[in-house]
Amino acid sequence: GVANPIREVGEIVNKYSDAFYIVDTVCSLGGMEVRVDDWNIDICASGSQKCIGVPPGLALLSVSDKVLNFLEKREKPLNFWYGNFRNWLPVMKDPARYFATPPVNMIYALSEALKIILDEGLEKRFRRHHIIAEAFRAAMDALNLKLIPDREFAADTVTAVYYPEKVEDSAFRSEMKRRGIVVASTLGPLKGKGFRVGHMGNVNQNDITSTIGAIEATLRSMGYHFKNGAGLIAAQEKILSHSSR
Ligand SMILES: Cc1ncc(COP(=O)(O)O)c(C=O)c1O
């Protein structure tokens, strides 16, 4: 649920070092602003399955001229056949050439997804993600649930929330699933302490309000107290205040 300050870090990398700036945009590309050239990103790595809205299976990569020049001059062989960009370059320049069999079905799906994205328009798409994220965050505040990241760095594509006391992770997620909504657990040292809700890709405002409704019903069934509908009202107010602007 954290969005790193990619532009600011890129400025520092560019100013103080020759290092390649490698950025993981798996959870942001297509949902939040990512400016590869303006932000000095050398390698931007993403996946098809998140904000782009395609099933998992494609790695999306962009590579700067700085990296390509370095690779061209590199003499030490790389002991990694498929991971060597140099092996991919001929087929990137001319897709009719052979390096490995491409998953053509996935590439058609990607092409369709990109059409959907461009039809919506990038600015509109980012704004939709922002409004939905703001609505969800407002709902969590209204239910007195604490977000895991500092608000300043909260991502607009996924939100991670701490459980209140006495709410147990697997019981919460099973009850949510029974109500038709799948949420994810938190990972690593935070495992069991919170849940994550993905609100990325082609999601809409109805998706987020039904998720908040299910969270309220689930928490109430587990003995957590709050004013009925508080999260839903806060989310709806946020959505309506944005749409009236
Ligand atoms: C920021 C980020 N990077 C990497 C990954 C892992 O992606 P994959 O499952 O395609 O390896 C995820 C998955 O949630 C992610 O959110």
Side-chain angles (χ1 to χ4, degrees):
V2 172
N4 286 296
I6 303 301
R7 177 167 55 83
E8 290 81 350
V9 174
E11 277 166 17
I12 292 166
V13 173
N14 194 38
K15 196 162 166 196
Y16 296 107
S17 97
D18 290 331
F20 296 141
Y21 186 32
I22 302 174
V23 178
D24 173 343
T25 61
V26 168
C27 224
S28 53
L29 194 76
M32 295 175 70
E33 189 177 38
V34 177
R35 294 194 176 271
V36 172
D37 293 334
D38 294 348
W39 297 355
N40 306 303
I41 300 175
D42 288 303
I43 299 180
C44 178
S46 196
S48 52
Q49 76 274 24
K50 303 258 175 158
C51 311
I52 307 279
V54 171
L58 290 177
L60 310 179
L61 279 176
S62 76
V63 182
S64 69
D65 287 339
K66 185 170 145 190
V67 174
L68 291 178
N69 290 337
F70 167 83
L71 284 176
E72 240 159 62
K73 292 191 193 114
R74 186 189 162 105
E75 280 167 11
K76 198 170 159 208
L78 246 182
N79 194 14
F80 186 8
W81 185 247
Y82 289 107
N84 186 348
F85 284 167
R86 223 150 58 175
N87 289 341
W88 285 98
L89 277 180
V91 74
M92 289 291 114
K93 288 181 182 149
D94 176 5
R97 296 180 68 169
Y98 175 74
F99 174 52
T101 306
V104 184
N105 47 339
M106 290 297 297
I107 292 167
Y108 273 102
L110 176 66
S111 169
E112 196 53 40
L114 296 179
K115 270 188 214 142
I116 294 170
I117 291 173
L118 293 176
D119 280 350
E120 181 176 15
L122 286 179
E123 294 306 325
K124 244 177 113 182
R125 190 172 177 90
F126 299 154
R127 191 173 142 75
R128 172 170 56 77
H129 278 82
H130 182 64
I131 295 171
I132 288 175
E134 284 273 285
F136 190 71
R137 291 189 285 255
M140 296 304 101
D141 289 345
L143 297 175
N144 284 323
L145 298 180
K146 191 174 173 321
L147 298 194
I148 293 179
D150 283 351
R151 191 146 303 231
E152 188 188 348
F153 299 111
D156 282 343
T157 50
V158 59
T159 298
V161 184
Y162 282 113
Y163 287 122
E165 246 177 70
K166 297 194 190 123
V167 171
E168 196 273 321
D169 179 43
S170 58
F172 175 83
R173 287 186 297 113
S174 307
E175 180 57 20
M176 285 290 288
K177 195 169 174 192
R178 201 185 65 75
R179 292 173 183 276
I181 309 269
V182 174
V183 297
S185 57
T186 45
L187 302 167
L190 291 170
K191 187 149 184 60
K193 296 188 176 155
F195 63 97
R196 290 176 298 150
V197 171
H199 34 76
M200 65 183 88
N202 302 314
V203 291
N204 63 33
Q205 292 167 355
N206 298 339
D207 296 322
I208 208 69
T209 43
S210 52
T211 302
I212 295 163
I215 290 173
E216 287 201 7
T218 300
L219 288 175
R220 181 153 298 275
S221 75
M222 298 176 84
Y224 179 67
H225 294 288
F226 52 88
K227 192 164 182 292
N228 277 345
L232 285 166
I233 291 171
Q236 189 72 337
E237 274 175 0
K238 202 51 113 177
I239 290 167
L240 295 178
S241 78
H242 275 284
S243 53
S244 64
R245 275 180 211 166

